[in-house]
Amino acid sequence: MSDRCNRVCPVERAGSLDNRIRRWFQNPQKILGPYIKEGMTVLEVGCGPGFFSVAMALMAGKSGQVIACDLQEGMLQKVREKIDGTELEARIKLHKCEEGKIGVSDHVDFVLLFYVVHEIQNKEGLFDEIRSILKPNGQVLIVEPPFHVSKSAFEETIKKAREVGLIDTDGPNMLFHKTVILEKG
Ligand SMILES: C[S@@+](CC[C@H](N)C(=O)[O-])C[C@H]1O[C@@H](n2cnc3c(N)ncnc32)[C@H](O)[C@@H]1O
């Protein structure tokens, strides 16, 4: 993949990741509803401005917890501004990752990697770390964008997940997107 595809999405583009138009095309409830149940602990790696993290906190309910992590403090700040003073403040834990290390020790039921895996250089390290914190019946959903990520690059990603012992099955059907569900072997 080219450098252009691997570049980290800048904070200035946060507006394009959280708006009404996106909600029409990518309704979080429709995409994630089959995977997230009340009371779950959910991790989003590369949460950006929190389009999915906020929705997942509503789905996981009062007894659930979302760990929203991102490499960029500016993205976490966008999430903070949305939840400050609301009941979601207690349900969403913001965490700043480092390149090559998520650094979360909580055991999680579900991990969301939406439009982020192509931005991460060390994919083996990412999957290894996720496997170590995934609960026995936990699931990981990867969604990659239609044109930005080629079929072969996506297959390469799945191969790296298999190498650390994750098992892949079909992800949700999303027009032109590449999706996969990973589980512990
Ligand atoms: C294209 S945005 C997608 C944001 C969000 N998942 C969404 O769909 O709205 C990718 C996000 O991943 C973050 N990111 C890139 N590399 C990362 C890494 N190694 N660890 C954590 N976050 C990362 C970027 O800072 C950016 O906020």
Side-chain angles (χ1 to χ4, degrees), residues 8-9 17 22 44-49 51-52 69-72 75 97 99-100 114-116 119-120:
V8 171
C9 173
L17 292 166
R22 187 178 190 194
E44 183 175 13
V45 180
C47 63
F51 179 76
F52 287 107
C69 69
D70 205 284
L71 204 55
Q72 302 181 82
M75 290 295 195
C97 307
E99 176 73 61
F114 206 107
Y115 287 179
V116 66
E119 293 188 10
I120 297 178

mmCIF file with all atom_site columns, all heavy atoms in Angstrom, residues 8-9 17 22 44-49 51-52 69-72 75 97 99-100 114-116 119-120, ligand 1:
data_model
loop_
_atom_site.group_PDB
_atom_site.id
_atom_site.type_symbol
_atom_site.label_atom_id
_atom_site.label_alt_id
_atom_site.label_comp_id
_atom_site.label_asym_id
_atom_site.label_entity_id
_atom_site.label_seq_id
_atom_site.pdbx_PDB_ins_code
_atom_site.Cartn_x
_atom_site.Cartn_y
_atom_site.Cartn_z
_atom_site.occupancy
_atom_site.B_iso_or_equiv
_atom_site.pdbx_formal_charge
_atom_site.auth_seq_id
_atom_site.auth_comp_id
_atom_site.auth_asym_id
_atom_site.auth_atom_id
_atom_site.pdbx_PDB_model_num
ATOM   1   N N   . VAL A 1 8   ? -1.883  8.829  8.952  1.00 0.00 ? 8   VAL A N   1
ATOM   2   C CA  . VAL A 1 8   ? -2.873  8.956  10.024 1.00 0.00 ? 8   VAL A CA  1
ATOM   3   C C   . VAL A 1 8   ? -3.832  10.100 9.685  1.00 0.00 ? 8   VAL A C   1
ATOM   4   O O   . VAL A 1 8   ? -3.409  11.190 9.306  1.00 0.00 ? 8   VAL A O   1
ATOM   5   C CB  . VAL A 1 8   ? -2.153  9.207  11.373 1.00 0.00 ? 8   VAL A CB  1
ATOM   6   C CG1 . VAL A 1 8   ? -3.157  9.567  12.460 1.00 0.00 ? 8   VAL A CG1 1
ATOM   7   C CG2 . VAL A 1 8   ? -1.355  7.976  11.778 1.00 0.00 ? 8   VAL A CG2 1
ATOM   8   N N   . CYS A 1 9   ? -5.125  9.828  9.837  1.00 0.00 ? 9   CYS A N   1
ATOM   9   C CA  . CYS A 1 9   ? -6.170  10.812 9.518  1.00 0.00 ? 9   CYS A CA  1
ATOM   10  C C   . CYS A 1 9   ? -6.042  12.028 10.453 1.00 0.00 ? 9   CYS A C   1
ATOM   11  O O   . CYS A 1 9   ? -6.098  11.893 11.671 1.00 0.00 ? 9   CYS A O   1
ATOM   12  C CB  . CYS A 1 9   ? -7.525  10.137 9.720  1.00 0.00 ? 9   CYS A CB  1
ATOM   13  S SG  . CYS A 1 9   ? -8.908  11.224 9.560  1.00 0.00 ? 9   CYS A SG  1
ATOM   14  N N   . LEU A 1 17  ? -15.959 12.722 9.781  1.00 0.00 ? 17  LEU A N   1
ATOM   15  C CA  . LEU A 1 17  ? -16.170 11.407 10.398 1.00 0.00 ? 17  LEU A CA  1
ATOM   16  C C   . LEU A 1 17  ? -17.360 11.389 11.344 1.00 0.00 ? 17  LEU A C   1
ATOM   17  O O   . LEU A 1 17  ? -17.718 10.349 11.882 1.00 0.00 ? 17  LEU A O   1
ATOM   18  C CB  . LEU A 1 17  ? -14.915 10.989 11.176 1.00 0.00 ? 17  LEU A CB  1
ATOM   19  C CG  . LEU A 1 17  ? -13.672 10.685 10.345 1.00 0.00 ? 17  LEU A CG  1
ATOM   20  C CD1 . LEU A 1 17  ? -12.448 10.619 11.242 1.00 0.00 ? 17  LEU A CD1 1
ATOM   21  C CD2 . LEU A 1 17  ? -13.848 9.383  9.571  1.00 0.00 ? 17  LEU A CD2 1
ATOM   22  N N   . ARG A 1 22  ? -23.177 10.833 7.378  1.00 0.00 ? 22  ARG A N   1
ATOM   23  C CA  . ARG A 1 22  ? -22.560 9.534  7.668  1.00 0.00 ? 22  ARG A CA  1
ATOM   24  C C   . ARG A 1 22  ? -23.548 8.628  8.401  1.00 0.00 ? 22  ARG A C   1
ATOM   25  O O   . ARG A 1 22  ? -23.596 7.426  8.151  1.00 0.00 ? 22  ARG A O   1
ATOM   26  C CB  . ARG A 1 22  ? -21.282 9.732  8.508  1.00 0.00 ? 22  ARG A CB  1
ATOM   27  C CG  . ARG A 1 22  ? -20.546 8.425  8.682  1.00 0.00 ? 22  ARG A CG  1
ATOM   28  C CD  . ARG A 1 22  ? -19.261 8.539  9.444  1.00 0.00 ? 22  ARG A CD  1
ATOM   29  N NE  . ARG A 1 22  ? -18.502 7.306  9.381  1.00 0.00 ? 22  ARG A NE  1
ATOM   30  C CZ  . ARG A 1 22  ? -17.485 7.014  10.149 1.00 0.00 ? 22  ARG A CZ  1
ATOM   31  N NH1 . ARG A 1 22  ? -17.035 7.904  11.024 1.00 0.00 ? 22  ARG A NH1 1
ATOM   32  N NH2 . ARG A 1 22  ? -16.859 5.874  10.039 1.00 0.00 ? 22  ARG A NH2 1
ATOM   33  N N   . GLU A 1 44  ? -12.701 0.584  21.372 1.00 0.00 ? 44  GLU A N   1
ATOM   34  C CA  . GLU A 1 44  ? -12.546 1.074  19.998 1.00 0.00 ? 44  GLU A CA  1
ATOM   35  C C   . GLU A 1 44  ? -11.126 1.610  19.846 1.00 0.00 ? 44  GLU A C   1
ATOM   36  O O   . GLU A 1 44  ? -10.725 2.554  20.527 1.00 0.00 ? 44  GLU A O   1
ATOM   37  C CB  . GLU A 1 44  ? -13.549 2.178  19.622 1.00 0.00 ? 44  GLU A CB  1
ATOM   38  C CG  . GLU A 1 44  ? -13.336 2.550  18.135 1.00 0.00 ? 44  GLU A CG  1
ATOM   39  C CD  . GLU A 1 44  ? -14.319 3.544  17.530 1.00 0.00 ? 44  GLU A CD  1
ATOM   40  O OE1 . GLU A 1 44  ? -15.080 4.187  18.277 1.00 0.00 ? 44  GLU A OE1 1
ATOM   41  O OE2 . GLU A 1 44  ? -14.283 3.683  16.291 1.00 0.00 ? 44  GLU A OE2 1
ATOM   42  N N   . VAL A 1 45  ? -10.385 0.985  18.943 1.00 0.00 ? 45  VAL A N   1
ATOM   43  C CA  . VAL A 1 45  ? -9.016  1.454  18.676 1.00 0.00 ? 45  VAL A CA  1
ATOM   44  C C   . VAL A 1 45  ? -9.102  2.412  17.486 1.00 0.00 ? 45  VAL A C   1
ATOM   45  O O   . VAL A 1 45  ? -9.640  2.060  16.438 1.00 0.00 ? 45  VAL A O   1
ATOM   46  C CB  . VAL A 1 45  ? -8.074  0.266  18.342 1.00 0.00 ? 45  VAL A CB  1
ATOM   47  C CG1 . VAL A 1 45  ? -6.661  0.792  18.063 1.00 0.00 ? 45  VAL A CG1 1
ATOM   48  C CG2 . VAL A 1 45  ? -8.058  -0.746 19.468 1.00 0.00 ? 45  VAL A CG2 1
ATOM   49  N N   . GLY A 1 46  ? -8.595  3.623  17.661 1.00 0.00 ? 46  GLY A N   1
ATOM   50  C CA  . GLY A 1 46  ? -8.700  4.637  16.610 1.00 0.00 ? 46  GLY A CA  1
ATOM   51  C C   . GLY A 1 46  ? -10.113 5.198  16.582 1.00 0.00 ? 46  GLY A C   1
ATOM   52  O O   . GLY A 1 46  ? -10.776 5.203  15.549 1.00 0.00 ? 46  GLY A O   1
ATOM   53  N N   . CYS A 1 47  ? -10.561 5.702  17.726 1.00 0.00 ? 47  CYS A N   1
ATOM   54  C CA  . CYS A 1 47  ? -11.963 6.151  17.853 1.00 0.00 ? 47  CYS A CA  1
ATOM   55  C C   . CYS A 1 47  ? -12.242 7.437  17.093 1.00 0.00 ? 47  CYS A C   1
ATOM   56  O O   . CYS A 1 47  ? -13.399 7.766  16.841 1.00 0.00 ? 47  CYS A O   1
ATOM   57  C CB  . CYS A 1 47  ? -12.322 6.329  19.326 1.00 0.00 ? 47  CYS A CB  1
ATOM   58  S SG  . CYS A 1 47  ? -11.348 7.611  20.152 1.00 0.00 ? 47  CYS A SG  1
ATOM   59  N N   . GLY A 1 48  ? -11.176 8.190  16.720 1.00 0.00 ? 48  GLY A N   1
ATOM   60  C CA  . GLY A 1 48  ? -11.402 9.470  16.048 1.00 0.00 ? 48  GLY A CA  1
ATOM   61  C C   . GLY A 1 48  ? -12.295 10.344 16.914 1.00 0.00 ? 48  GLY A C   1
ATOM   62  O O   . GLY A 1 48  ? -12.195 10.345 18.149 1.00 0.00 ? 48  GLY A O   1
ATOM   63  N N   . PRO A 1 49  ? -13.238 11.089 16.307 1.00 0.00 ? 49  PRO A N   1
ATOM   64  C CA  . PRO A 1 49  ? -14.098 11.984 17.096 1.00 0.00 ? 49  PRO A CA  1
ATOM   65  C C   . PRO A 1 49  ? -15.241 11.271 17.820 1.00 0.00 ? 49  PRO A C   1
ATOM   66  O O   . PRO A 1 49  ? -16.109 11.917 18.397 1.00 0.00 ? 49  PRO A O   1
ATOM   67  C CB  . PRO A 1 49  ? -14.636 12.951 16.041 1.00 0.00 ? 49  PRO A CB  1
ATOM   68  C CG  . PRO A 1 49  ? -14.599 12.199 14.761 1.00 0.00 ? 49  PRO A CG  1
ATOM   69  C CD  . PRO A 1 49  ? -13.439 11.243 14.852 1.00 0.00 ? 49  PRO A CD  1
ATOM   70  N N   . PHE A 1 51  ? -17.652 8.903  16.693 1.00 0.00 ? 51  PHE A N   1
ATOM   71  C CA  . PHE A 1 51  ? -18.917 8.568  16.025 1.00 0.00 ? 51  PHE A CA  1
ATOM   72  C C   . PHE A 1 51  ? -19.447 7.212  16.511 1.00 0.00 ? 51  PHE A C   1
ATOM   73  O O   . PHE A 1 51  ? -20.624 7.096  16.863 1.00 0.00 ? 51  PHE A O   1
ATOM   74  C CB  . PHE A 1 51  ? -18.678 8.544  14.504 1.00 0.00 ? 51  PHE A CB  1
ATOM   75  C CG  . PHE A 1 51  ? -19.871 8.190  13.673 1.00 0.00 ? 51  PHE A CG  1
ATOM   76  C CD1 . PHE A 1 51  ? -20.888 9.095  13.451 1.00 0.00 ? 51  PHE A CD1 1
ATOM   77  C CD2 . PHE A 1 51  ? -19.969 6.934  13.072 1.00 0.00 ? 51  PHE A CD2 1
ATOM   78  C CE1 . PHE A 1 51  ? -21.993 8.763  12.657 1.00 0.00 ? 51  PHE A CE1 1
ATOM   79  C CE2 . PHE A 1 51  ? -21.060 6.599  12.278 1.00 0.00 ? 51  PHE A CE2 1
ATOM   80  C CZ  . PHE A 1 51  ? -22.074 7.519  12.075 1.00 0.00 ? 51  PHE A CZ  1
ATOM   81  N N   . PHE A 1 52  ? -18.592 6.196  16.552 1.00 0.00 ? 52  PHE A N   1
ATOM   82  C CA  . PHE A 1 52  ? -19.038 4.865  16.982 1.00 0.00 ? 52  PHE A CA  1
ATOM   83  C C   . PHE A 1 52  ? -18.928 4.684  18.499 1.00 0.00 ? 52  PHE A C   1
ATOM   84  O O   . PHE A 1 52  ? -19.758 4.007  19.087 1.00 0.00 ? 52  PHE A O   1
ATOM   85  C CB  . PHE A 1 52  ? -18.240 3.769  16.264 1.00 0.00 ? 52  PHE A CB  1
ATOM   86  C CG  . PHE A 1 52  ? -18.622 3.615  14.813 1.00 0.00 ? 52  PHE A CG  1
ATOM   87  C CD1 . PHE A 1 52  ? -17.781 4.057  13.812 1.00 0.00 ? 52  PHE A CD1 1
ATOM   88  C CD2 . PHE A 1 52  ? -19.845 3.056  14.454 1.00 0.00 ? 52  PHE A CD2 1
ATOM   89  C CE1 . PHE A 1 52  ? -18.142 3.936  12.471 1.00 0.00 ? 52  PHE A CE1 1
ATOM   90  C CE2 . PHE A 1 52  ? -20.219 2.925  13.115 1.00 0.00 ? 52  PHE A CE2 1
ATOM   91  C CZ  . PHE A 1 52  ? -19.361 3.374  12.121 1.00 0.00 ? 52  PHE A CZ  1
ATOM   92  N N   . CYS A 1 69  ? -9.978  4.685  22.366 1.00 0.00 ? 69  CYS A N   1
ATOM   93  C CA  . CYS A 1 69  ? -8.571  5.078  22.350 1.00 0.00 ? 69  CYS A CA  1
ATOM   94  C C   . CYS A 1 69  ? -8.134  5.573  20.983 1.00 0.00 ? 69  CYS A C   1
ATOM   95  O O   . CYS A 1 69  ? -8.674  5.167  19.950 1.00 0.00 ? 69  CYS A O   1
ATOM   96  C CB  . CYS A 1 69  ? -7.683  3.974  22.889 1.00 0.00 ? 69  CYS A CB  1
ATOM   97  S SG  . CYS A 1 69  ? -7.574  2.550  21.875 1.00 0.00 ? 69  CYS A SG  1
ATOM   98  N N   . ASP A 1 70  ? -7.211  6.474  21.015 1.00 0.00 ? 70  ASP A N   1
ATOM   99  C CA  . ASP A 1 70  ? -6.697  7.062  19.779 1.00 0.00 ? 70  ASP A CA  1
ATOM   100 C C   . ASP A 1 70  ? -5.262  7.535  20.030 1.00 0.00 ? 70  ASP A C   1
ATOM   101 O O   . ASP A 1 70  ? -4.868  7.829  21.152 1.00 0.00 ? 70  ASP A O   1
ATOM   102 C CB  . ASP A 1 70  ? -7.560  8.250  19.327 1.00 0.00 ? 70  ASP A CB  1
ATOM   103 C CG  . ASP A 1 70  ? -7.453  8.480  17.825 1.00 0.00 ? 70  ASP A CG  1
ATOM   104 O OD1 . ASP A 1 70  ? -6.410  9.030  17.376 1.00 0.00 ? 70  ASP A OD1 1
ATOM   105 O OD2 . ASP A 1 70  ? -8.371  8.084  17.088 1.00 0.00 ? 70  ASP A OD2 1
ATOM   106 N N   . LEU A 1 71  ? -4.555  7.594  18.906 1.00 0.00 ? 71  LEU A N   1
ATOM   107 C CA  . LEU A 1 71  ? -3.166  8.063  18.919 1.00 0.00 ? 71  LEU A CA  1
ATOM   108 C C   . LEU A 1 71  ? -3.095  9.577  19.150 1.00 0.00 ? 71  LEU A C   1
ATOM   109 O O   . LEU A 1 71  ? -2.142  10.089 19.715 1.00 0.00 ? 71  LEU A O   1
ATOM   110 C CB  . LEU A 1 71  ? -2.632  7.766  17.511 1.00 0.00 ? 71  LEU A CB  1
ATOM   111 C CG  . LEU A 1 71  ? -1.188  7.587  17.200 1.00 0.00 ? 71  LEU A CG  1
ATOM   112 C CD1 . LEU A 1 71  ? -0.593  6.506  18.069 1.00 0.00 ? 71  LEU A CD1 1
ATOM   113 C CD2 . LEU A 1 71  ? -1.039  7.219  15.724 1.00 0.00 ? 71  LEU A CD2 1
ATOM   114 N N   . GLN A 1 72  ? -4.146  10.264 18.693 1.00 0.00 ? 72  GLN A N   1
ATOM   115 C CA  . GLN A 1 72  ? -4.105  11.735 18.712 1.00 0.00 ? 72  GLN A CA  1
ATOM   116 C C   . GLN A 1 72  ? -4.974  12.320 19.838 1.00 0.00 ? 72  GLN A C   1
ATOM   117 O O   . GLN A 1 72  ? -6.186  12.094 19.872 1.00 0.00 ? 72  GLN A O   1
ATOM   118 C CB  . GLN A 1 72  ? -4.605  12.277 17.368 1.00 0.00 ? 72  GLN A CB  1
ATOM   119 C CG  . GLN A 1 72  ? -3.792  11.780 16.172 1.00 0.00 ? 72  GLN A CG  1
ATOM   120 C CD  . GLN A 1 72  ? -4.305  12.368 14.882 1.00 0.00 ? 72  GLN A CD  1
ATOM   121 O OE1 . GLN A 1 72  ? -3.966  13.502 14.536 1.00 0.00 ? 72  GLN A OE1 1
ATOM   122 N NE2 . GLN A 1 72  ? -5.126  11.615 14.164 1.00 0.00 ? 72  GLN A NE2 1
ATOM   123 N N   . MET A 1 75  ? -8.171  14.094 18.783 1.00 0.00 ? 75  MET A N   1
ATOM   124 C CA  . MET A 1 75  ? -9.370  13.278 18.531 1.00 0.00 ? 75  MET A CA  1
ATOM   125 C C   . MET A 1 75  ? -10.058 12.972 19.869 1.00 0.00 ? 75  MET A C   1
ATOM   126 O O   . MET A 1 75  ? -11.284 13.079 19.987 1.00 0.00 ? 75  MET A O   1
ATOM   127 C CB  . MET A 1 75  ? -9.006  11.978 17.811 1.00 0.00 ? 75  MET A CB  1
ATOM   128 C CG  . MET A 1 75  ? -8.569  12.158 16.366 1.00 0.00 ? 75  MET A CG  1
ATOM   129 S SD  . MET A 1 75  ? -9.925  12.786 15.329 1.00 0.00 ? 75  MET A SD  1
ATOM   130 C CE  . MET A 1 75  ? -9.261  12.442 13.687 1.00 0.00 ? 75  MET A CE  1
ATOM   131 N N   . CYS A 1 97  ? -3.400  6.061  22.986 1.00 0.00 ? 97  CYS A N   1
ATOM   132 C CA  . CYS A 1 97  ? -2.492  4.961  22.605 1.00 0.00 ? 97  CYS A CA  1
ATOM   133 C C   . CYS A 1 97  ? -1.151  5.530  22.166 1.00 0.00 ? 97  CYS A C   1
ATOM   134 O O   . CYS A 1 97  ? -1.045  6.714  21.868 1.00 0.00 ? 97  CYS A O   1
ATOM   135 C CB  . CYS A 1 97  ? -2.979  4.230  21.361 1.00 0.00 ? 97  CYS A CB  1
ATOM   136 S SG  . CYS A 1 97  ? -4.604  3.630  21.383 1.00 0.00 ? 97  CYS A SG  1
ATOM   137 N N   . GLU A 1 99  ? 1.907   4.728  19.168 1.00 0.00 ? 99  GLU A N   1
ATOM   138 C CA  . GLU A 1 99  ? 2.086   3.991  17.909 1.00 0.00 ? 99  GLU A CA  1
ATOM   139 C C   . GLU A 1 99  ? 2.699   2.633  18.274 1.00 0.00 ? 99  GLU A C   1
ATOM   140 O O   . GLU A 1 99  ? 3.717   2.579  18.940 1.00 0.00 ? 99  GLU A O   1
ATOM   141 C CB  . GLU A 1 99  ? 3.032   4.802  17.006 1.00 0.00 ? 99  GLU A CB  1
ATOM   142 C CG  . GLU A 1 99  ? 3.387   4.136  15.699 1.00 0.00 ? 99  GLU A CG  1
ATOM   143 C CD  . GLU A 1 99  ? 2.246   4.137  14.699 1.00 0.00 ? 99  GLU A CD  1
ATOM   144 O OE1 . GLU A 1 99  ? 1.800   5.238  14.325 1.00 0.00 ? 99  GLU A OE1 1
ATOM   145 O OE2 . GLU A 1 99  ? 1.836   3.044  14.290 1.00 0.00 ? 99  GLU A OE2 1
ATOM   146 N N   . GLY A 1 100 ? 2.028   1.558  17.907 1.00 0.00 ? 100 GLY A N   1
ATOM   147 C CA  . GLY A 1 100 ? 2.581   0.235  18.209 1.00 0.00 ? 100 GLY A CA  1
ATOM   148 C C   . GLY A 1 100 ? 2.181   -0.322 19.556 1.00 0.00 ? 100 GLY A C   1
ATOM   149 O O   . GLY A 1 100 ? 2.592   -1.426 19.902 1.00 0.00 ? 100 GLY A O   1
ATOM   150 N N   . PHE A 1 114 ? -12.502 0.479  13.023 1.00 0.00 ? 114 PHE A N   1
ATOM   151 C CA  . PHE A 1 114 ? -13.242 1.010  11.872 1.00 0.00 ? 114 PHE A CA  1
ATOM   152 C C   . PHE A 1 114 ? -12.381 2.046  11.154 1.00 0.00 ? 114 PHE A C   1
ATOM   153 O O   . PHE A 1 114 ? -12.034 3.075  11.731 1.00 0.00 ? 114 PHE A O   1
ATOM   154 C CB  . PHE A 1 114 ? -14.552 1.653  12.359 1.00 0.00 ? 114 PHE A CB  1
ATOM   155 C CG  . PHE A 1 114 ? -15.651 1.670  11.316 1.00 0.00 ? 114 PHE A CG  1
ATOM   156 C CD1 . PHE A 1 114 ? -16.735 0.815  11.419 1.00 0.00 ? 114 PHE A CD1 1
ATOM   157 C CD2 . PHE A 1 114 ? -15.593 2.526  10.230 1.00 0.00 ? 114 PHE A CD2 1
ATOM   158 C CE1 . PHE A 1 114 ? -17.759 0.817  10.471 1.00 0.00 ? 114 PHE A CE1 1
ATOM   159 C CE2 . PHE A 1 114 ? -16.604 2.535  9.278  1.00 0.00 ? 114 PHE A CE2 1
ATOM   160 C CZ  . PHE A 1 114 ? -17.688 1.689  9.398  1.00 0.00 ? 114 PHE A CZ  1
ATOM   161 N N   . TYR A 1 115 ? -12.049 1.755  9.906  1.00 0.00 ? 115 TYR A N   1
ATOM   162 C CA  . TYR A 1 115 ? -11.235 2.664  9.070  1.00 0.00 ? 115 TYR A CA  1
ATOM   163 C C   . TYR A 1 115 ? -9.892  2.971  9.735  1.00 0.00 ? 115 TYR A C   1
ATOM   164 O O   . TYR A 1 115 ? -9.393  4.095  9.616  1.00 0.00 ? 115 TYR A O   1
ATOM   165 C CB  . TYR A 1 115 ? -11.967 4.000  8.843  1.00 0.00 ? 115 TYR A CB  1
ATOM   166 C CG  . TYR A 1 115 ? -13.142 3.993  7.893  1.00 0.00 ? 115 TYR A CG  1
ATOM   167 C CD1 . TYR A 1 115 ? -13.867 5.170  7.665  1.00 0.00 ? 115 TYR A CD1 1
ATOM   168 C CD2 . TYR A 1 115 ? -13.545 2.853  7.211  1.00 0.00 ? 115 TYR A CD2 1
ATOM   169 C CE1 . TYR A 1 115 ? -14.945 5.211  6.793  1.00 0.00 ? 115 TYR A CE1 1
ATOM   170 C CE2 . TYR A 1 115 ? -14.637 2.882  6.348  1.00 0.00 ? 115 TYR A CE2 1
ATOM   171 C CZ  . TYR A 1 115 ? -15.333 4.056  6.137  1.00 0.00 ? 115 TYR A CZ  1
ATOM   172 O OH  . TYR A 1 115 ? -16.415 4.093  5.277  1.00 0.00 ? 115 TYR A OH  1
ATOM   173 N N   . VAL A 1 116 ? -9.315  2.026  10.427 1.00 0.00 ? 116 VAL A N   1
ATOM   174 C CA  . VAL A 1 116 ? -8.063  2.342  11.132 1.00 0.00 ? 116 VAL A CA  1
ATOM   175 C C   . VAL A 1 116 ? -6.919  1.373  10.834 1.00 0.00 ? 116 VAL A C   1
ATOM   176 O O   . VAL A 1 116 ? -5.748  1.791  10.849 1.00 0.00 ? 116 VAL A O   1
ATOM   177 C CB  . VAL A 1 116 ? -8.287  2.473  12.669 1.00 0.00 ? 116 VAL A CB  1
ATOM   178 C CG1 . VAL A 1 116 ? -8.694  1.171  13.292 1.00 0.00 ? 116 VAL A CG1 1
ATOM   179 C CG2 . VAL A 1 116 ? -7.063  3.024  13.362 1.00 0.00 ? 116 VAL A CG2 1
ATOM   180 N N   . GLU A 1 119 ? -4.038  2.326  8.779  1.00 0.00 ? 119 GLU A N   1
ATOM   181 C CA  . GLU A 1 119 ? -3.177  3.406  9.292  1.00 0.00 ? 119 GLU A CA  1
ATOM   182 C C   . GLU A 1 119 ? -2.136  2.874  10.268 1.00 0.00 ? 119 GLU A C   1
ATOM   183 O O   . GLU A 1 119 ? -1.259  3.600  10.707 1.00 0.00 ? 119 GLU A O   1
ATOM   184 C CB  . GLU A 1 119 ? -4.026  4.478  9.999  1.00 0.00 ? 119 GLU A CB  1
ATOM   185 C CG  . GLU A 1 119 ? -4.938  5.247  9.061  1.00 0.00 ? 119 GLU A CG  1
ATOM   186 C CD  . GLU A 1 119 ? -5.637  6.441  9.718  1.00 0.00 ? 119 GLU A CD  1
ATOM   187 O OE1 . GLU A 1 119 ? -5.284  6.803  10.855 1.00 0.00 ? 119 GLU A OE1 1
ATOM   188 O OE2 . GLU A 1 119 ? -6.535  7.010  9.078  1.00 0.00 ? 119 GLU A OE2 1
ATOM   189 N N   . ILE A 1 120 ? -2.273  1.598  10.651 1.00 0.00 ? 120 ILE A N   1
ATOM   190 C CA  . ILE A 1 120 ? -1.394  1.027  11.675 1.00 0.00 ? 120 ILE A CA  1
ATOM   191 C C   . ILE A 1 120 ? -0.281  0.208  11.013 1.00 0.00 ? 120 ILE A C   1
ATOM   192 O O   . ILE A 1 120 ? -0.554  -0.701 10.229 1.00 0.00 ? 120 ILE A O   1
ATOM   193 C CB  . ILE A 1 120 ? -2.215  0.189  12.681 1.00 0.00 ? 120 ILE A CB  1
ATOM   194 C CG1 . ILE A 1 120 ? -3.194  1.128  13.406 1.00 0.00 ? 120 ILE A CG1 1
ATOM   195 C CG2 . ILE A 1 120 ? -1.301  -0.538 13.663 1.00 0.00 ? 120 ILE A CG2 1
ATOM   196 C CD1 . ILE A 1 120 ? -4.119  0.455  14.405 1.00 0.00 ? 120 ILE A CD1 1
HETATM 197 C C1  . LIG B 2 .   ? -9.961  7.445  9.636  1.00 0.00 ? 1   LIG B C1  1
HETATM 198 S S1  . LIG B 2 .   ? -10.013 7.731  11.371 1.00 0.00 ? 1   LIG B S1  1
HETATM 199 C C2  . LIG B 2 .   ? -11.408 6.706  11.828 1.00 0.00 ? 1   LIG B C2  1
HETATM 200 C C3  . LIG B 2 .   ? -11.994 7.105  13.154 1.00 0.00 ? 1   LIG B C3  1
HETATM 201 C C4  . LIG B 2 .   ? -13.168 6.244  13.641 1.00 0.00 ? 1   LIG B C4  1
HETATM 202 N N1  . LIG B 2 .   ? -12.822 4.861  13.771 1.00 0.00 ? 1   LIG B N1  1
HETATM 203 C C5  . LIG B 2 .   ? -14.357 6.400  12.742 1.00 0.00 ? 1   LIG B C5  1
HETATM 204 O O1  . LIG B 2 .   ? -14.649 5.495  11.939 1.00 0.00 ? 1   LIG B O1  1
HETATM 205 O O2  . LIG B 2 .   ? -15.001 7.452  12.814 1.00 0.00 ? 1   LIG B O2  1
HETATM 206 C C6  . LIG B 2 .   ? -8.629  6.786  11.988 1.00 0.00 ? 1   LIG B C6  1
HETATM 207 C C7  . LIG B 2 .   ? -8.298  7.111  13.441 1.00 0.00 ? 1   LIG B C7  1
HETATM 208 O O3  . LIG B 2 .   ? -7.344  6.152  13.892 1.00 0.00 ? 1   LIG B O3  1
HETATM 209 C C8  . LIG B 2 .   ? -6.371  6.805  14.676 1.00 0.00 ? 1   LIG B C8  1
HETATM 210 N N2  . LIG B 2 .   ? -5.133  5.994  14.667 1.00 0.00 ? 1   LIG B N2  1
HETATM 211 C C9  . LIG B 2 .   ? -4.244  5.817  13.669 1.00 0.00 ? 1   LIG B C9  1
HETATM 212 N N3  . LIG B 2 .   ? -3.253  4.985  14.047 1.00 0.00 ? 1   LIG B N3  1
HETATM 213 C C10 . LIG B 2 .   ? -3.537  4.608  15.315 1.00 0.00 ? 1   LIG B C10 1
HETATM 214 C C11 . LIG B 2 .   ? -2.904  3.752  16.269 1.00 0.00 ? 1   LIG B C11 1
HETATM 215 N N4  . LIG B 2 .   ? -1.749  3.125  15.995 1.00 0.00 ? 1   LIG B N4  1
HETATM 216 N N5  . LIG B 2 .   ? -3.466  3.601  17.481 1.00 0.00 ? 1   LIG B N5  1
HETATM 217 C C12 . LIG B 2 .   ? -4.623  4.238  17.779 1.00 0.00 ? 1   LIG B C12 1
HETATM 218 N N6  . LIG B 2 .   ? -5.284  5.067  16.941 1.00 0.00 ? 1   LIG B N6  1
HETATM 219 C C13 . LIG B 2 .   ? -4.745  5.246  15.720 1.00 0.00 ? 1   LIG B C13 1
HETATM 220 C C14 . LIG B 2 .   ? -6.220  8.166  14.028 1.00 0.00 ? 1   LIG B C14 1
HETATM 221 O O4  . LIG B 2 .   ? -5.693  9.103  14.940 1.00 0.00 ? 1   LIG B O4  1
HETATM 222 C C15 . LIG B 2 .   ? -7.661  8.479  13.629 1.00 0.00 ? 1   LIG B C15 1
HETATM 223 O O5  . LIG B 2 .   ? -8.341  9.152  14.651 1.00 0.00 ? 1   LIG B O5  1
#
